[in-house]
Amino acid sequence: MRRHAYLIIANRNPKQLTKLLKALDDCRNDIFVMIDKKSKDIFEKVKLNFSSLTYLKPINIFWGDVSQIQAELNLFEESLNAKRGYEYYHLLSGLDLPLASQNEIHNFFQKHSGKEFIAYSSMVSTEDLANRLKKHHFTKTFRTKSRLVRLYHKIDNKFLLFLPSHNVPHLVFASNWVSLEGELVSELIKNKEEILKRYKNSLCADELFIPIFIEEHPKFKEKVFYKKTLHDSPYEFQGNLRYINWWDGTPYTWHLRDYHKLIEAKKRGHLFARKFDETVDSEIIDKIIEYIE
């Protein structure tokens, strides 16, 4: 039986997280959850019927900070160390939902076994991407009340020394929410310490470290399922199979009135969507779960 690992980073809405976990509960899945240590919500441990559920030791996760990469790598490593031979590792946020049943999801990934599912974007300039790789201070205080606070100090205009021969590699930008096959996840963990060292003073490098790693390893680049870059249009296909609306928000929170848009996105091949928020509209969450059951 081909097994999948679902890796979830959550920081709020415990009841919503419970609904997501139950939507993923399947004998072919194991689930690993990282709760942001800063969260003030009480996350009670959920009992599932079929999936193994592991809660990782919480860490403080800050927007734009290397702690985002640390959380993702911790999840990859914990699931890899389970030694259950997962075919795919799906990184989700606690505000995501599947748009398809588990049978549909497993059938899709079996059909496209060995492919890497990431979503490249052209919406950030090369200059801005390069700036993310410069040395920054105060990355833990960049965002206050969902607004970017310019409190950092750039040490200089040179790129970090990890860049080969001090040259900038081909900079690529992609969503950090991905579905990766086992070989790539294994290679990421083999290089975990180097990755953390590379990006420890960077800004928002959670959207850079995996695509740059793929660029530096051509055998994985050849396996990317969908290589076209996005321009944030409602009708584009997003190669990580996650329908995320950046054209109406940062990203936009789905409402019940958007139900038909999500179903159309699923018909175009998107297996997941974000973001949902029970404090904004809980009805759309329940309606999507009813749809996939």
Side-chain angles (χ1 to χ4, degrees):
M1 182 172 61
R2 298 171 184 261
R3 300 193 64 79
H4 290 194
Y6 281 94
L7 318 176
I8 301 173
I9 299 175
N11 64 357
R12 63 185 186 273
N13 297 4
K15 291 181 180 179
Q16 181 177 340
L17 177 62
T18 296
K19 292 178 181 179
L20 170 60
L21 295 176
K22 291 184 176 181
L24 301 176
D25 187 17
D26 187 282
C27 63
R28 296 163 290 185
N29 301 334
D30 290 331
I31 305 173
F32 300 81
V33 178
M34 166 72 77
I35 304 294
D36 188 341
K37 192 175 181 178
K38 303 191 312 305
S39 176
K40 297 180 180 179
D41 290 332
I42 298 174
F43 288 84
E44 296 182 357
K45 292 190 176 180
V46 179
K47 184 177 181 180
L48 300 179
N49 294 321
F50 306 105
S51 297
S52 169
L53 178 57
T54 302
Y55 289 88
L56 278 68
K57 181 179 178 179
I59 66 171
N60 289 315
I61 306 171
F62 298 91
W63 180 90
D65 182 62
V66 71
S67 55
Q68 291 185 298
I69 298 176
Q70 180 78 66
E72 294 173 22
L73 290 174
N74 285 3
L75 283 163
F76 284 134
E77 185 171 35
E78 183 76 17
S79 54
L80 193 66
N81 287 343
K83 299 186 184 302
R84 304 206 64 182
Y86 300 119
E87 183 178 24
Y88 274 95
Y89 297 74
H90 307 286
L91 184 62
L92 303 176
S93 84
L95 303 181
D96 293 1
L97 282 177
L99 293 179
S101 70
Q102 285 303 308
N103 282 338
E104 290 176 296
I105 290 172
H106 278 265
N107 288 340
F108 176 88
F109 283 101
Q110 183 172 350
K111 181 179 179 180
H112 301 286
S113 180
K115 296 294 184 181
E116 314 293 355
F117 295 88
I118 67 175
Y120 293 109
S121 177
S122 61
M123 298 308 293
V124 178
S125 70
T126 300
E127 181 181 1
D128 286 341
L129 292 179
N131 282 335
R132 294 189 184 195
L133 296 178
K134 294 176 181 178
K135 294 182 180 180
H136 297 268
H137 280 181
F138 313 121
T139 53
K140 292 179 173 58
T141 57
F142 270 24
R143 176 173 279 188
T144 301
K145 295 182 180 179
S146 299
R147 298 185 65 185
L148 185 63
V149 181
R150 304 259 178 211
L151 296 177
Y152 63 89
H153 171 62
K154 296 174 185 176
I155 298 298
D156 53 39
N157 289 321
K158 295 179 180 178
F159 294 99
L160 296 177
L161 295 180
F162 71 77
L163 299 176
S165 303
H166 303 279
N167 292 322
V168 182
H170 178 54
L171 292 177
V172 281
F173 166 62
S175 172
N176 62 311
W177 309 112
V178 294
S179 291
L180 306 178
E181 51 78 39
E183 185 182 6
L184 176 50
V185 170
S186 180
E187 287 300 313
L188 286 170
I189 295 308
K190 286 179 183 178
N191 292 274
K192 178 181 177 181
E193 296 307 317
E194 178 189 351
I195 289 170
L196 292 172
K197 183 179 179 180
R198 278 185 167 198
Y199 298 102
K200 67 179 181 179
N201 297 117
S202 59
L203 168 64
C204 296
D206 58 313
E207 297 169 326
L208 296 176
F209 84 98
I210 291 177
I212 286 178
F213 190 89
I214 289 174
E215 285 291 317
E216 294 174 341
H217 297 78
K219 68 176 180 178
F220 296 122
K221 186 176 180 180
E222 293 174 359
K223 295 161 67 174
V224 172
F225 178 72
Y226 190 80
K227 298 182 175 68
K228 292 183 179 180
T229 58
L230 300 173
H231 298 84
D232 286 352
S233 167
Y235 301 104
E236 290 181 301
F237 177 71
Q238 300 183 35
N240 60 353
L241 311 178
R242 289 140 174 86
Y243 194 57
I244 305 174
N245 181 345
W246 288 100
W247 47 92
D248 292 322
T250 58
Y252 173 78
T253 299
W254 298 110
H255 293 71
L256 184 61
R257 62 177 178 265
D258 303 308
Y259 175 75
H260 70 283
K261 297 178 184 177
L262 292 165
I263 300 308
E264 286 302 314
K266 189 255 184 175
K267 291 177 181 178
R268 294 198 300 272
H270 299 96
L271 300 181
F272 309 94
R274 73 181 306 263
K275 68 180 180 177
F276 301 86
D277 191 329
E278 65 183 5
T279 67
V280 175
D281 192 328
S282 62
E283 291 183 80
I284 184 59
I285 296 173
D286 294 334
K287 193 166 182 66
I288 290 296
I289 290 175
E290 180 183 5
Y291 171 77
I292 66 176
E293 288 180 346

